[in-house]
Amino acid sequence: MQEYIINGLLIVVALLAVILQIIGMRPSAGMTKKQKVMLWRILTATVLLLILQVLGAGAFEVFGSAGRWVRLAVFLVDYLVIGYDILKKAGKGIRNGQVFDEHFLMAVATLGALALAVYENGDYLEAIAVMLFYQVGEWFQSYAVGKSRRNISDLMDIRPDYANIEREGKLEQVDPDEVGIGTIIVVQPGEKVPIDGTVVKGESTLNTAALTGESLPREVKTGDEIISGCINMTGLLHIQTTKEFGESTVSKILDLVENASSRKSKSEDFISRFAKIYTPAVCYAALALAVLPPLVRMFAMGLDAGWETWIYRALTFLVASCPCALVISIPLSFFAGIGGASKAGVLVKGSNYLETLSQAKIVVFDKTGTLTQGVFEVNAIHHNEMDERKLVEYAALAESASSHPISKSLQKAYGMEIDRSRVTNIQELSGNGVIATVDDHQVAAGNDKLMNRLGVQAIPCHSVGTIIHMAIDGKYAGHIVISDIVKPHSKEAIQTLKSAGVRKTVMLTGDAKKVADSVASALGLDEVYSELLPADKVEKVEQLIQNKPEKEKLAFVGDGINDAPVLRRADIGIAMGAMGSDAAIEAADVVLMDDDPMQISKAIKISRKCLGIVYQNIVVAIGVKLVCLVLVALGFANMWLAVFADVGVMIIAVLNAIRALFVKNL
């Protein structure tokens, strides 16, 4: 037994010495001051314990009859070097009425083992080695959590330290919180964009990797909107702020990630409830193991009680029962999963959403801005007697109050500045279109429903696209064909989702049936529902939820601007391409910072990998614990196996949890 423990101690010294050497050569490797102190404590205690074992009990015979107590005192010093904080935490827990935790278990087990060694004038190695290996496990756990936090800290690097304001020809650095809306800030090459705004002067290339996880640069020029968190790569930019720092994109993202750990998954809640019941139960079981068998031997069997044997088994039972592997590794797995996802541009608001996302078997898509680019262009103009140019002008003026992509495409086709003074009495009819007065003419621009509502006979159009019918003063004037462009990776994204185990893909859109069917057919979607109002989309999602198996989850993917009701109603709401979209960040459970639909399957794969690791850790931790507890109770396992059951399984589980950080190749 002693040979195994000493060999284990030598391995620990060698391993930690190598780690310390690496850290010494590379301070950036990222150890906190507390971790460094703990590492030195482990090394000091290990070396002292090895020296004491080499010297042996004979070295203390020079002290005569007091040698036994001198030896005990030296071993106690070693014990306190490695375990004083555990004793302190156990005492604090007892004072606060929270007795049953891992610190209490370790304190009772090791102090009990020391007491037995004193009583039998035996060896103190085992008791100190147990505490030492426990602290090694705690150190590995602390380092793993730190590694996870550093991955999230990579995302936190988007937080700007200052904003440049030009005063009297000189740049002055100020706190971003002090910059008001409408202020002109200057962003030099290599600096972060601190606040959302509009470029008023300059051209440059932006690095959006911290937000999207992708290194593809973005070109910006005067008039372009720009969001905080990007890094200015080349030119000098003058930006007029459109939001305060607290409301800017970077602040909302940071708040989202920092608060993600507050939303617990069912697995984490189960482990918390399990630990509250499990820890007291094993303490009472250990007490029963120490007392009942000796009493039975004495009074029922007439044998020697063997108190030392059964107390030792009870103490070993406590060491083996410590629930560290479960309590530490499960939250760490989710924490690492959220951190890895954040680095890939997938922001998950909590581990509960990560768990739900892993169960998604039905994925429902909005069309515009999700599967298509949302870049509408006027492709054809069919008119009666009215001039083609005049028809587009009336349509652009009537739609001038709308922010819908179709409205913007009409204004783009018009090509001139909109004179809003020419437009009055604007009525926007949801799901129909717009009626407005333009130059004292009543102009109606919308779909077939609007024409029927006005009693105007529309001429059918056989082109595929969004058809904007026009009526001037109650007379049909023609129609404009506008079409959207499918994103390059949309078809591949649908195929990847199906290969990842998604059972059904559905598209919901307000577009005409002909347009919707054309897009759905091209992408290989299973179902498509068209000509839907926002309320119809919610109703359709509710129907899909009611008709699916209970264990399956439904995910809705939208652009987050006008899909907030559906994002909230789905089992899991995913907003994509949401840089700068407040509505997306508020309404969705998962926010994809890139508008590439391939990110959807990546988000699901990340969640499934994380949950797979969680289940692996639960099965291994509970399985090994139960086996070891039975072996200890029957006398087939000693303190060494108990240490493995506690510390060894915890280290294995923690190292397994770290795998959730690595999501690059998913």
Side-chain angles (χ1 to χ4, degrees):
M1 170 60 69
Q2 287 191 8
E3 289 182 10
Y4 290 122
I5 295 178
I6 291 172
N7 288 336
L9 291 171
L10 290 171
I11 291 171
V12 168
V13 171
L15 178 62
L16 295 180
V18 169
I19 293 173
L20 193 64
Q21 182 66 22
I22 293 171
I23 298 303
M25 291 187 296
R26 293 178 54 214
S28 60
M31 284 185 71
T32 64
K33 183 179 180 180
K34 186 177 179 181
Q35 287 169 345
K36 289 180 180 179
V37 169
M38 188 68 243
L39 188 57
W40 279 114
R41 282 176 57 197
I42 290 171
L43 287 170
T44 302
T46 304
V47 171
L48 181 56
L49 189 57
L50 287 171
I51 292 172
L52 289 173
Q53 286 304 118
V54 171
L55 290 175
F60 295 91
E61 292 178 358
V62 297
F63 296 100
S65 59
R68 175 186 178 186
W69 303 109
V70 173
R71 179 169 174 262
L72 172 61
V74 176
F75 272 101
L76 281 176
V77 168
D78 196 17
Y79 176 79
L80 292 174
V81 166
I82 193 61
Y84 75 86
D85 55 331
I86 301 299
L87 299 178
K88 185 177 178 181
K89 289 174 183 176
K92 186 177 180 181
I94 293 171
R95 287 197 306 272
N96 295 334
Q98 299 174 341
V99 178
F100 300 110
D101 61 12
E102 65 270 23
H103 304 118
F104 176 78
L105 296 180
M106 291 306 302
V108 171
T110 53
L111 288 174
L114 281 172
L116 278 177
V118 172
Y119 175 76
E120 297 175 348
N121 194 22
D123 199 340
Y124 308 112
L125 171 65
E126 205 168 58
I128 299 175
V130 167
M131 184 65 80
L132 179 58
F133 285 121
Y134 175 78
Q135 291 285 41
V136 170
E138 289 287 293
W139 185 88
F140 272 105
Q141 175 259 331
S142 174
Y143 189 76
V145 170
K147 186 173 178 63
S148 297
R149 290 191 182 279
R150 285 194 298 277
N151 274 267
I152 290 187
S153 293
D154 290 342
L155 179 72
M156 296 307 158
D157 282 343
I158 64 177
R159 185 190 299 276
D161 300 316
Y162 59 87
N164 295 320
I165 296 180
E166 190 170 354
R167 290 175 180 165
E168 299 179 359
K170 295 182 179 180
L171 291 183
E172 182 178 329
Q173 293 184 356
V174 300
D175 191 318
D177 278 316
E178 298 176 2
V179 179
I181 297 174
T183 304
I184 304 296
I185 60 175
V186 179
V187 182
Q188 301 177 98
E191 292 183 331
K192 300 166 192 167
V193 177
I195 307 171
D196 297 6
T198 304
V199 179
V200 294
K201 182 181 178 182
E203 295 182 3
S204 185
T205 302
L206 300 180
N207 181 350
T208 63
L211 298 174
T212 65
E214 299 294 334
S215 57
L216 189 67
R218 175 191 166 197
E219 303 294 331
V220 292
K221 59 184 184 303
T222 301
D224 289 346
E225 291 185 357
I226 190 170
I227 62 171
S228 51
C230 302
I231 297 177
N232 184 19
M233 301 287 288
T234 53
L236 187 70
L237 293 175
H238 289 72
I239 301 169
Q240 184 174 34
T241 60
T242 54
K243 295 178 182 177
E244 293 181 348
F245 176 69
E247 295 298 318
S248 63
T249 302
V250 65
S251 293
K252 288 185 176 292
I253 291 172
L254 292 173
D255 181 66
L256 184 155
V257 176
E258 287 168 349
N259 292 320
S261 60
S262 64
R263 299 178 176 91
K264 303 296 183 184
S265 68
K266 291 181 180 178
S267 299
E268 285 180 286
D269 287 337
F270 162 74
I271 295 303
S272 298
R273 293 194 302 271
F274 176 82
K276 287 179 181 178
I277 298 171
Y278 169 83
T279 307
V282 295
C283 286
Y284 292 128
L287 181 62
L289 187 62
V291 175
L292 295 181
L295 292 177
V296 170
R297 286 172 62 90
M298 286 175 59
F299 297 109
M301 302 173 66
L303 301 174
D304 178 63
W307 287 103
E308 297 87 350
T309 300
W310 290 102
I311 290 174
Y312 177 81
R313 284 193 192 181
L315 295 174
T316 306
F317 190 89
L318 285 177
V319 173
S321 67
C322 190
C324 297
L326 280 175
V327 174
I328 292 169
S329 68
I330 305 310
L332 177 61
S333 299
F334 281 110
F335 190 77
I338 291 173
S342 299
K343 197 171 182 180
V346 179
L347 306 184
V348 185
K349 288 188 175 181
S351 55
N352 55 331
Y353 301 124
L354 200 65
E355 188 170 44
T356 304
L357 182 61
S358 71
Q359 301 165 357
K361 292 292 184 181
I362 302 172
V363 180
V364 181
F365 298 89
D366 174 51
K367 181 180 81 70
T368 306
T370 303
L371 295 172
T372 62
Q373 294 184 8
V375 180
F376 290 83
E377 295 181 355
V378 174
N379 289 332
I381 302 170
H382 302 152
H383 55 93
N384 290 345
E385 298 176 0
M386 180 171 286
D387 178 70
E388 182 178 294
R389 178 71 184 164
K390 196 67 175 177
L391 187 69
V392 173
E393 180 180 355
Y394 274 144
L397 288 166
E399 293 271 6
S400 61
S402 173
S403 60
H404 194 279
I406 287 179
S407 170
K408 292 183 178 180
S409 67
L410 289 170
Q411 294 175 36
K412 183 179 178 181
Y414 175 46
M416 297 178 65
E417 188 175 347
I418 300 293
D419 184 358
R420 293 288 295 275
S421 65
R422 296 169 59 188
V423 188
T424 57
N425 302 325
I426 298 174
Q427 302 176 56
E428 190 164 350
L429 306 175
S430 180
N432 286 250
V434 174
I435 300 173
T437 302
V438 180
D439 295 339
D440 296 326
H441 295 284
Q442 186 192 58
V443 177
N447 54 22
D448 292 337
K449 295 177 184 178
L450 181 61
M451 294 299 107
N452 293 335
R453 184 170 183 164
L454 297 175
V456 175
Q457 182 63 44
I459 298 175
C461 180
H462 300 289
S463 301
V464 176
T466 301
I467 312 301
I468 306 297
H469 293 285
M470 297 289 298
I472 311 296
D473 293 328
K475 183 179 179 182
Y476 191 72
H479 51 254
I480 302 169
V481 182
I482 298 174
S483 60
D484 195 0
I485 304 169
V486 173
K487 289 181 179 178
H489 295 151
S490 289
K491 185 173 183 178
E492 184 183 354
I494 300 299
Q495 293 172 346
T496 305
L497 281 173
K498 290 183 176 179
S499 65
V502 172
R503 182 173 62 83
K504 182 190 292 186
T505 54
V506 183
M507 185 176 78
L508 307 180
T509 179
D511 277 355
K513 187 176 187 304
K514 186 188 296 184
V515 176
D517 289 345
S518 174
V519 172
S521 176
L523 298 181
L525 293 162
D526 297 313
E527 295 179 13
V528 57
Y529 300 93
S530 54
E531 300 180 4
L532 300 175
L533 299 174
D536 297 331
K537 290 183 180 181
V538 175
E539 185 179 341
K540 185 58 65 178
V541 165
E542 288 178 344
Q543 290 177 7
L544 290 168
I545 290 174
Q546 290 172 3
N547 295 333
K548 69 177 177 61
E550 187 176 349
K551 290 185 178 180
E552 293 185 357
K553 299 299 181 183
L554 181 145
F556 178 82
V557 187
D559 60 14
I561 298 173
N562 54 7
D563 293 318
V566 202
L567 286 166
R568 292 187 182 279
R569 180 61 191 90
D571 293 324
I572 189 84
I574 305 174
M576 64 178 298
M579 288 196 301
S581 172
D582 294 342
I585 294 175
E586 292 296 329
D589 306 314
V590 178
V591 181
L592 309 181
M593 300 309 295
D594 196 356
D595 63 358
D596 186 349
M598 289 296 291
Q599 287 288 84
I600 303 166
S601 60
K602 187 167 189 176
I604 292 177
K605 288 178 181 177
I606 289 172
S607 68
R608 289 181 179 169
K609 177 180 179 180
C610 180
L611 264 293
I613 290 171
V614 167
Y615 296 145
Q616 290 167 15
N617 284 346
I618 290 175
V619 170
V620 170
I622 292 179
V624 172
K625 288 286 179 191
L626 292 177
V627 171
C628 287
L629 288 175
V630 172
L631 292 176
V632 168
L634 297 176
F636 294 115
N638 51 31
M639 193 73 79
W640 179 253
L641 184 60
V643 170
F644 170 75
D646 177 34
V647 180
V649 173
M650 181 177 72
I651 291 176
I652 292 170
V654 166
L655 293 176
N656 191 38
I658 292 176
R659 293 196 303 114
L661 284 169
F662 306 108
V663 300
K664 188 173 182 180
N665 296 323
L666 291 180

